[in-house]
């Protein structure tokens, strides 16, 4: 009997939760544009507005603040390009959708550095805020997709607001994995995405707290209160709603994943693995771990052959082997950065998956060690 494949790449995308699949299936057999006045349209609108309310509840916000988008990338682009600010301050470890949009905005951009554990330098942020008069938009993520390191978001919000600037937080990796409230209570903009937590890909939201002006990226109809034109992705939004419901009740899941992740790290570290960001608070599901001397691509391929799916850094940059800007910003030495893989757990992970991942990692470590021994002989 061949063993089932082990999926440990939830930070890239998570399998669809059964509750999300069921909610989407129900809608797929239905018809209705939420902007239509007839009964079909109104039914779709009620569904969309119900999920809008759910998202607002998660962030103690108003449903009027929720702008549905095609995912985290669009939400990040919408705020970085559309918020009213003369300059941008973003951390060096943001997702490429923040960094790319910041560069494309044509506005001056300051990059907040991080320490060796991947935590942003709050003093440097403060200095950047004070350095110029023009209004800044500050974009700092809640938790990093590669390292899992969690940022001091409440403190960032406090300092940004004291400086009269705007604060955007990309909470894509944090939602459902750690409590995001009350830390986000004072964030002006929050990015969310459904597919990292078992919802469908292609749907997300930007929460715009209060009456901040936002220039739309897309022009057309008056959907989303003129902030995002285009017919809403009703099945996607239904899946997003189902997953939020599921995830907010899943304390047990978080505790379980944290215990397995800790066991995995303890075992691999004892065998020579090096955990990146080990000294910082991290997401309970994420482990960036180096096998010194073995290239990350080699590890990813070798583990894949054993049926274990992990990634060599950010999913968006895997496939093409580029240096990770996150590990670079953390000043991880090149040799270690080049041998780091990301193992990320999620709702479908079980204990057997962890045991198999550990066994495959150990076997690879043993093989590469004895090959090196042979080469040296
Ligand atoms: N922000 C972070 C931190 C992410 O990890 C990702 C996905 O990798 C995104 C934004 C983009 O989200 P989406 O895939 O929904 O466009």
């Amino acid at each position: 009997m061949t063993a089932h494949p082990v999926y440990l790449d939830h930070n890239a995308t998570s399998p669809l939760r059964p509750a999300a699949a069921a909610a989407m299936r129900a809608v797929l057999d239905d018809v209705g544009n939420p902007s239509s006045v007839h009964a079909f349209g109104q039914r779709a609108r009620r569904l969309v507005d119900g999920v809008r309310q759910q998202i607002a509840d998660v962030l103690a916000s108003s449903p009027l603040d929720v702008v549905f988008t095609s995912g985290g990338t669009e939400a990040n682009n919408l705020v970085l390009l559309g918020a009213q600010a003369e300059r941008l301050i973003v951390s060096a470890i943001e997702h490429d959708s923040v960094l790319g949009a910041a560069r494309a905005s044509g506005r001056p951009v300051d990059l907040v550095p991080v320490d060796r554990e991947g935590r942003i330098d709050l003093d440097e942020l403060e200095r950047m805020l004070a350095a110029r008069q023009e209004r800044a938009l500050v974009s700092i993520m809640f938790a990093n997709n590669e390292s899992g390191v969690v940022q001091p978001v409440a403190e960032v919000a406090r300092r940004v607001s004291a400086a009269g600037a705007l604060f955007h937080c990309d909470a894509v990796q944090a939602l459902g994995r750690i409590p995001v409230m009350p830390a986000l209570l004072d964030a002006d903009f929050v990015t969310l995405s459904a597919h990292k937590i078992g919802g469908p890909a292609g749907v997300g939201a930007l929460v715009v707290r209060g009456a901040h002006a936002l220039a739309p990226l897309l022009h057309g109809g008056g959907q989303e209160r003129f902030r995002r034109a285009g017919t809403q992705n009703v099945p996607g939004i239904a899946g997003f709603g189902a997953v939020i419901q599921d995830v907010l009740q899943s304390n047990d899941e978080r505790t379980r994943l944290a215990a397995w992740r800790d066991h995995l790290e303890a075992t691999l570290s004892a065998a020579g693995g090096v955990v990146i960001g080990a000294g910082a608070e991290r997401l309970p599901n994420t482990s960036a771990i180096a096998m010194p001397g073995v290239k990350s691509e080699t590890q990813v391929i070798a583990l894949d052959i054993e049926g274990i799916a992990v990634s060599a850094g950010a999913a968006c940059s895997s496939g093409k082997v580029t240096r990770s800007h996150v590990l670079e910003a953390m000043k991880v030495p090149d040799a270690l950065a080049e041998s780091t893989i990301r193992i990320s757990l999620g709702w479908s992970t079980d204990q057997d998956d962890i045991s198999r991942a550990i066994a495959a990692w150990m076997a690879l470590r043993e093989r590469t060690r004895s090959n090196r021994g042979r080469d040296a002989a």
Side-chain angles (χ1 to χ4, degrees), residues 112-255:
V112 187
V114 296
D115 66 13
R116 286 175 187 273
E117 301 292 350
R119 291 171 296 222
I120 65 149
D121 184 335
L122 285 168
D123 293 339
E124 194 57 24
L125 167 64
E126 189 113 28
R127 200 193 55 70
M128 288 170 176
L129 282 166
R132 292 164 67 157
Q133 289 300 312
E134 302 98 318
R135 190 177 214 203
L137 169 72
V138 175
S139 183
I140 307 282
M141 69 202 326
F142 206 120
N144 185 265
N145 42 304
E146 292 185 45
S147 66
V149 170
V150 174
Q151 301 301 331
V153 169
E155 182 57 22
V156 171
R158 199 185 61 71
R159 295 188 189 204
V160 171
S161 146
L166 294 168
F167 176 42
H168 165 242
C169 183
D170 174 348
V172 163
Q173 294 288 349
L175 179 72
R177 298 195 173 133
I178 46 173
V180 293
M181 288 294 281
L184 288 177
L185 201 52
D186 295 320
D188 298 294
F189 303 96
V190 179
T191 290
L192 304 173
S193 176
H195 74 108
K196 307 291 183 181
I197 49 169
V203 60
L206 180 69
V207 178
V208 184
R209 213 188 283 286
H212 296 301
L214 195 65
L217 289 179
L218 303 179
H219 301 270
Q223 293 92 346
E224 302 301 300
R225 305 178 76 224
F226 291 95
R227 293 169 295 186
R228 202 281 185 178
T231 303
Q232 290 90 345
N233 170 2
V234 181
I237 290 171
F240 198 1
V243 101
I244 286 175
Q245 181 86 11
D246 233 28
V247 145
L248 295 181
Q249 297 162 345
S250 54
N251 258 330
D252 291 355
E253 184 179 300
R254 286 195 278 270
T255 316

Side-chain angles (χ1 to χ4, degrees), residues 9-98:
D9 201 12
H10 288 256
N11 286 15
T13 194
S14 203
L16 201 60
R17 288 182 193 251
M24 293 175 75
R25 235 177 264 122
V27 177
L28 286 172
D29 288 334
D30 221 343
V31 63
N33 182 328
S35 301
S36 300
V37 291
H38 49 61
F40 295 90
Q42 291 313 299
R43 195 161 59 232
R45 173 176 284 265
R46 272 196 301 280
L47 187 149
V48 167
D49 285 345
V51 179
R52 202 185 294 285
Q53 181 70 55
Q54 277 181 277
I55 293 173
D57 289 346
V58 170
L59 294 179
S61 204
S62 155
L64 299 178
D65 298 343
V66 177
V67 181
F68 283 112
T69 65
S70 64
T73 298
E74 186 191 330
N76 284 343
N77 273 264
L78 179 56
V79 63
L80 269 289
L81 294 166
Q84 294 211 317
E86 283 92 51
R87 62 185 180 117
L88 304 171
I89 301 177
V90 308
S91 90
I93 55 162
E94 292 304 304
H95 188 261
D96 280 333
S97 55
V98 166

Side-chain angles (χ1 to χ4, degrees), residues 339-353:
S339 64
T340 299
I341 59 167
R342 179 186 66 189
I343 302 175
S344 51
L345 288 52
W347 70 269
S348 60
T349 305
D350 65 23
Q351 196 155 13
D352 184 52
D353 293 344

